[in-house]
Amino acid sequence: MSDSNLEAPQALAPAAHPEERMDEDDRLKPEFVRSVLDRVEAGDREGARELVEPLHPADKADLFEVVNSDERRALASAVADLLDGDVFAEMNDWVRDELIDALEPHEVAVIAGDMETDDAVAIIEDMEESEQRAVLRALDPDDRAAIEEALSFPEESAGRLMQRDLIAVPEHWTVGQVIDYLRAGEDLTTDFWEIYVVDQRHHPVGTVMLSWILRTPRNFAVADLMQREQTLIPVDMDQEEVALRFQKYALISAAVVDQAGRLVGMITVDDIVHIIQEEASEDVLLLSGAGDEGDINQPIRDSYRARVRWLVANLFTALVASTIIALFGAAIEQMVALAVLMPIVASIGGNAGTQTMAVAVRALAMNQLTRSNTWRTISREIRLALLNGLTIAILIGVGAGLVFWNPQLGMVIAAAMLINIAVAGLAGVLVPVILERLDQDPAVASSVFVTMITDSMGFFAFLGLAVASGLAG
């Protein structure tokens, strides 16, 4: 339906000033979002465009993420000319894929052509193979070659992440030659912090900061100015390892080399920020059993499949704890206090195990927990667990003894609590380490096993000590 067939919008508010768009936390205000949607619904595309155009690309992406699917498509149609590569690069993956699916291959090609290679690959890699080929055919030959090369590397590798546009100069040049080259090269990239120095085989031999070039006389040799020590990233390195190197060595950018040692691209810190966020979010989601891509914009069906399998796994591990309880059914019937106190033992043990597990998984992800310090870390966590267990055991032992007027019951639950927290500390570090040694992601299944161990041991220790002490059974 054309705009001429629509009635003029009634009494819509004027375009928002900057302070009316964002709140104190730099998030879009609900009133502003509603104002944009009102214009879209009223057919006032120019008014909607006037509101959206001043936004930063990241804020434009946020606007599409906070509206629902039906509103998103109408909004995209109204401000289509504002949806450039910068906006799509900032957009949530699920929202971006939804909008990309509604575009023709040549439209996707135009967007991809305006993006850095790594951002364009992120859009194209999730498309169906037939759609990928159609988009690639519509791209310029140079862009197509760069993206096809990136797609040939493993997912989440440096080859997928790197940018092909960089500045490289031979080591025999002078500073003056570099400056003249930068000024004369119309096709050179304009976004860079370092200049890479290469030898005749195109192997990187050093780097020169752009600020050094600006502050050094023209006749100074690049070979005398450059920093020879540099961090090189293999093209097949996992992106998580890349992020760790950037963090460890405080890098702004780094050269990427192929198997022959030739310079093929660079990775910049702005890409690493996204990787760190993705990896951290993924670990949190995996630890909770919500899947590795849990997102509020993810389709319900996908979220269901990701979550339900871990709930089913937890169901079976819970049966182990229930079986232990069943073994001591007679003791529980004789002394109701045991049933009252059992959940406390299991709950505190579970929390203690979760604390240790979270620390261990983080240490593994940050390369802080390695083969050289595994036993020292285990010893530390056991000592810490014993201290925590002793503290909680005294509190619960005294409390239970006073509440039930039974000092023996207090001693039993205190001993069971100490045992369970010690086991929880050991399991919390051992389970992630063992999974990591088996080349499994420790964030995926650690919580399931640790919970099973702490629940089972808590019930077994408490009920077993109660029976062994003659308190029940």
Side-chain angles (χ1 to χ4, degrees), residues 151-437:
L151 290 172
S152 68
F153 296 114
E155 290 188 24
E156 298 187 348
S157 67
R160 291 281 183 102
L161 186 63
M162 70 181 181
Q163 302 174 22
R164 272 69 179 170
D165 296 329
L166 51 80
I167 305 296
V169 300
E171 56 184 325
H172 63 267
W173 274 15
T174 64
V175 169
Q177 288 176 295
V178 173
I179 293 175
D180 293 340
Y181 171 68
L182 295 175
R183 290 175 177 173
E186 296 180 358
D187 296 331
L188 296 178
T189 180
T190 57
D191 298 324
F192 62 95
W193 295 268
E194 290 180 304
I195 296 173
Y196 298 100
V197 184
V198 296
D199 59 17
Q200 293 180 348
R201 297 174 298 168
H202 207 65
H203 290 184
V205 295
T207 61
V208 180
M209 299 295 294
L210 188 57
S211 57
W212 301 352
I213 293 292
L214 296 176
R215 294 172 58 86
T216 305
R218 289 179 59 88
N219 61 350
F220 208 85
V222 169
D224 296 331
L225 178 64
M226 69 181 183
Q227 177 179 321
R228 294 187 178 274
E229 183 179 350
Q230 60 180 316
T231 301
L232 302 178
I233 306 295
V235 73
D236 56 355
M237 176 179 283
D238 184 84
Q239 64 179 20
E240 190 170 0
E241 292 295 323
V242 177
L244 288 173
R245 290 201 179 184
F246 266 73
Q247 179 183 4
K248 182 176 182 179
Y249 299 112
L251 303 177
I252 296 177
S253 64
V256 180
V257 295
D258 61 14
Q259 288 79 1
R262 293 187 298 267
L263 177 65
V264 293
M266 71 171 180
I267 296 176
T268 54
V269 70
D270 58 319
D271 296 315
I272 295 302
V273 171
H274 291 292
I275 297 304
I276 292 174
Q277 181 184 26
E278 289 177 7
E279 295 291 344
S281 299
E282 180 180 308
D283 285 345
V284 169
L285 291 168
L286 289 172
L287 279 172
S288 66
D292 59 350
E293 296 182 354
D295 189 278
I296 60 173
N297 294 297
Q298 186 178 17
I300 292 179
R301 182 179 60 183
D302 294 340
S303 296
Y304 164 75
R305 285 201 300 261
R307 299 184 192 185
V308 73
R309 64 175 181 265
W310 291 111
L311 293 177
V312 172
N314 283 333
L315 175 61
F316 285 103
T317 57
L319 291 176
V320 176
S322 298
T323 301
I324 293 176
I325 294 174
L327 294 176
F328 295 94
I332 296 173
E333 290 178 0
Q334 292 183 17
M335 191 170 189
V336 178
L338 297 179
V340 175
L341 297 174
M342 276 194 312
I344 299 177
V345 179
S347 176
I348 297 298
N351 288 337
T354 300
Q355 289 177 346
T356 306
M357 178 186 64
V359 172
V361 170
R362 178 186 179 275
L364 288 169
M366 300 293 292
N367 274 350
Q368 294 176 336
L369 178 52
T370 63
R371 293 181 183 272
S372 61
N373 67 351
T374 296
W375 290 111
R376 178 170 62 84
T377 303
I378 293 174
S379 174
R380 174 188 181 277
E381 291 302 325
I382 291 177
R383 294 198 303 271
L384 182 59
L386 289 174
L387 288 173
N388 289 334
L390 185 60
T391 302
I392 301 301
I394 293 173
L395 292 175
I396 189 63
V398 173
L402 292 175
V403 170
F404 293 97
W405 290 99
N406 190 331
Q408 187 179 3
L409 176 62
M411 294 176 63
V412 167
I413 192 173
M417 188 69 75
L418 178 60
I419 292 172
N420 197 27
I421 291 180
V423 170
L426 183 61
V429 67
L430 273 182
V431 169
V433 168
I434 292 173
L435 289 173
E436 195 269 342
R437 296 291 188 267

Side-chain angles (χ1 to χ4, degrees), residues 2-10 41-44:
S2 65
D3 293 347
S4 60
N5 294 330
L6 296 171
E7 295 181 2
Q10 300 296 319
E41 291 173 2
D44 183 12

Side-chain angles (χ1 to χ4, degrees), residues 59-216:
D59 295 323
K60 292 177 184 175
D62 287 344
L63 176 61
F64 280 89
E65 292 172 15
V66 299
V67 302
N68 63 45
S69 182
D70 293 336
E71 294 171 330
R72 193 175 294 144
R73 291 179 181 273
L75 177 60
S77 177
V79 297
D81 59 319
L82 301 179
L83 290 176
D84 55 17
D86 292 336
V87 177
F88 277 100
E90 299 287 347
M91 201 172 286
N92 173 276
D93 291 350
W94 295 100
V95 175
R96 182 187 62 205
D97 291 345
E98 179 183 327
L99 295 178
I100 289 295
D101 288 342
L103 298 178
E104 296 296 327
H106 70 275
E107 295 175 314
V108 179
V110 171
I111 294 171
D114 291 335
M115 305 174 77
E116 298 288 352
T117 304
D118 57 317
D119 293 325
V121 169
I123 287 180
I124 297 174
E125 65 182 351
D126 293 329
M127 302 178 70
E128 298 290 339
E129 187 175 348
S130 59
E131 295 176 343
Q132 276 190 11
R133 290 195 297 267
V135 172
L136 291 172
R137 283 196 300 267
L139 284 167
D140 291 335
D142 291 342
D143 292 334
R144 179 169 63 250
I147 293 175
E148 286 178 339
E149 181 187 10
L151 290 172
S152 68
F153 296 114
E155 290 188 24
E156 298 187 348
S157 67
R160 291 281 183 102
L161 186 63
M162 70 181 181
Q163 302 174 22
R164 272 69 179 170
D165 296 329
L166 51 80
I167 305 296
V169 300
E171 56 184 325
H172 63 267
W173 274 15
T174 64
V175 169
Q177 288 176 295
V178 173
I179 293 175
D180 293 340
Y181 171 68
L182 295 175
R183 290 175 177 173
E186 296 180 358
D187 296 331
L188 296 178
T189 180
T190 57
D191 298 324
F192 62 95
W193 295 268
E194 290 180 304
I195 296 173
Y196 298 100
V197 184
V198 296
D199 59 17
Q200 293 180 348
R201 297 174 298 168
H202 207 65
H203 290 184
V205 295
T207 61
V208 180
M209 299 295 294
L210 188 57
S211 57
W212 301 352
I213 293 292
L214 296 176
R215 294 172 58 86
T216 305

